[in-house]
Amino acid sequence: MAPRGAGFPPGCAVTEVHCELCPRECLIPEGGAGDCRVRVNLGGKLRATTYGRPSAIHIDPMEKKPLYHFRPGTPVLSIATAGCNLHCLNCQNWQLSQRGGEEMEQIYRADPAEILALARDQGCESIAYTYSDPIVFYEYTYDTSSLARAQGMRNVFITAAYINPEPLRRLCRVLDATNADLKAFDEGFYRSVCGASLKPVLDALVIFREQGVWLEVTNLVIPTLNDDLAMIRRMARWIHDELGPGTPLHFSRFQPQYRMRNLPPTPAETLNRARAEALDAGLHFVYVGNVFGHEGSTTYCPRDGTLLIRRVGFTVTDNRLTAGGHCPTCNEPIPGVWQ
Amino acid sequence: MRPCNRSDPRLGLGRRGFLAAVAALWVGLGIFPLAARGRTQKLLSLHEADFYRPHDLAG
């Protein structure tokens, strides 16, 4: 993030800073902001304007992230600031993500130590960096996670994974779990719907896996845009080969939002077909989300089919795993972080 | 007796009164629309919120 001098017309002193956090690599002029709206150039230095200034703080069940194989049924303190480095036309949290900090009606004052104290007071043993994309409040996430890690608390990161390798590797040292969006297995979709590209996302998912962060993947299925079964099969094969067959994959139902209100909600049948395709491609844990009471939110043993965890909405109604995370009938180890 | 000057640009308020009225109008016109749109920003401390309040944010 070294300042980069520039001058045009000649004699006009202009100082830009180069933000190297995400693949956009914004060159930010003096007084300006990056594409995410919240990382700015003040006096030739890159500043994160939302550090210690979250606009959303809630206590959610872990299943809402969604993380199904990470401390099921536990509450998680969830924080977010304004801003995002993607601009998806179907964004579900656009009121938060597609604004700068100065546009938010409500901002909390909360330094990392205060977030940690709040989590403890509320009986949460995990903190989630979520809702918008926590990549854009990277420093706040990193400092809070470091402090939390030192005190035995867990950190979960809910992201679209559009981040450069070096900052991601550094962040992985203090993360315990992530749910990363894989929005489609198609470069054109990333370009036209999200204003981004696919390759850096795939690289980031591999880095999460290499660095030992528990990883689950979410794919929001949008009718006519990314519901092609052949593409879904290619995506599932890639997850199987590069991330492992035990990586949970969540197919989520689209609801018309933001600038994509012209399409209908995803039919349950489409989600069922996507799930069947991914299971057929060799993935062991494939879920359906955003459909209340769907059978696809239950975890089964991949070896003998025993029901392991039943969920209704975001509530765990039955957990039959052994204390060590094994199937109670065949003793198959089930991948995840269960304690 | 002075004749009534109907073209008095100060609306009969006097110089100070006229300036005060203009200032009040200027401030009022600027702030009121912002307040009406709910765009005034609140900086909250943590004990002011109910973190269990249902919300519609995804993730």
Side-chain angles (χ1 to χ4, degrees):
Chain A
M1 303 188 195
R4 174 187 174 282
F8 189 83
C12 173
V14 177
T15 307
E16 290 180 331
V17 291
H18 180 191
C19 180
E20 298 175 4
L21 180 60
C22 88
R24 294 198 185 283
E25 306 257 350
C26 294
L27 288 174
I28 309 173
E30 170 83 44
D35 185 70
C36 61
R37 304 169 195 230
V38 296
R39 304 175 69 80
V40 303
N41 175 353
L42 288 181
K45 290 188 174 172
L46 186 60
R47 302 282 182 192
T49 56
T50 56
Y51 187 100
R53 295 285 185 269
S55 285
I57 309 180
H58 297 288
I59 293 161
D60 291 333
M62 194 63 81
E63 283 67 23
K64 185 170 180 285
K65 303 296 111 192
L67 283 168
Y68 280 8
H69 289 227
F70 187 84
R71 301 170 58 79
T74 59
V76 53
L77 183 75
S78 305
I79 63 171
T81 78
C84 188
N85 58 340
L86 296 190
H87 308 293
C88 307
L89 301 177
N90 59 300
C91 183
Q92 295 175 93
N93 295 337
W94 60 272
Q95 298 94 332
L96 183 66
S97 68
Q98 303 304 312
R99 285 177 169 178
E102 75 288 352
E103 296 173 275
M104 298 306 300
E105 281 112 34
Q106 176 176 298
I107 290 188
Y108 295 95
R109 271 182 302 235
D111 65 25
E114 287 174 299
I115 291 294
L116 199 60
L118 177 67
R120 284 201 191 292
D121 287 349
Q122 300 292 327
C124 299
E125 292 176 1
S126 309
I127 299 173
Y129 311 89
T130 180
Y131 302 142
S132 54
D133 201 309
I135 289 168
V136 303
F137 55 96
Y138 180 93
E139 294 78 8
Y140 189 36
T141 296
Y142 186 85
D143 290 354
T144 308
S145 297
S146 302
L147 204 59
R149 167 67 65 90
Q151 298 191 24
M153 200 164 282
R154 313 291 182 91
N155 297 297
V156 307
F157 193 67
I158 313 304
T159 180
Y162 198 58
I163 183 171
N164 277 338
E166 192 180 333
L168 178 58
R169 286 199 179 91
R170 181 168 178 265
L171 186 63
C172 282
R173 291 181 215 147
V174 290
L175 295 182
D176 294 283
T178 184
N179 186 306
D181 274 348
L182 183 49
K183 293 173 184 285
F185 207 63
D186 177 56
E187 189 64 47
F189 179 95
Y190 265 91
R191 206 176 310 118
S192 61
V193 176
C194 311
S197 57
L198 172 63
K199 176 75 168 46
V201 176
L202 299 181
D203 292 345
L205 297 187
V206 172
I207 290 171
F208 279 126
R209 174 60 78 222
E210 285 172 357
Q211 299 293 311
V213 177
W214 174 253
L215 170 65
E216 301 190 19
V217 176
T218 293
N219 175 238
L220 182 82
V221 182
I222 306 175
T224 72
L225 295 183
N226 66 350
D227 60 351
D228 176 59
L229 287 180
M231 186 197 71
I232 285 171
R233 186 173 187 86
R234 285 200 308 278
M235 178 175 71
R237 283 305 306 175
W238 182 87
I239 292 172
H240 178 278
D241 296 345
E242 301 295 330
L243 307 177
T247 305
L249 171 61
H250 302 256
F251 287 112
S252 238
R253 179 184 223 176
F254 162 82
Q255 293 287 348
Q257 293 278 347
Y258 190 40
R259 295 180 178 170
M260 201 178 278
R261 294 172 191 268
N262 57 318
L263 294 175
T266 319
E269 187 51 38
T270 303
L271 297 166
N272 293 341
R273 281 202 292 266
R275 180 168 181 252
E277 201 69 42
L279 286 168
D280 191 52
L283 294 181
H284 294 166
F285 306 100
V286 184
Y287 300 105
V288 168
N290 286 355
V291 185
F292 189 83
H294 195 286
E295 180 264 343
S297 62
T298 301
T299 303
Y300 296 97
C301 175
R303 189 169 168 197
D304 68 0
T306 299
L307 187 153
L308 299 174
I309 303 176
R310 190 195 300 276
R311 304 171 185 85
V312 176
F314 300 134
T315 307
V316 173
T317 55
D318 193 7
N319 185 348
R320 301 178 189 173
L321 280 175
T322 65
H326 291 72
C327 171
T329 53
C330 72
N331 208 33
E332 173 80 358
I334 306 301
V337 178
W338 306 110
Q339 298 294 324
Chain B
M1 195 167 125
R2 291 176 63 193
C4 176
N5 183 359
R6 292 196 176 276
S7 64
D8 179 3
R10 293 174 188 158
L11 306 172
L13 295 170
R15 188 165 177 270
R16 284 187 172 185
F18 178 73
L19 288 175
V22 168
L25 197 64
W26 187 48
V27 171
L29 285 176
I31 288 178
F32 185 74
L34 281 179
R37 287 162 57 200
R39 295 298 298 277
T40 46
Q41 194 171 62
K42 285 188 204 164
L43 193 58
L44 302 171
S45 63
L46 287 178
H47 65 267
E48 291 179 77
D50 171 12
F51 304 112
Y52 287 94
R53 178 172 49 86
H55 63 95
D56 57 5
L57 290 170

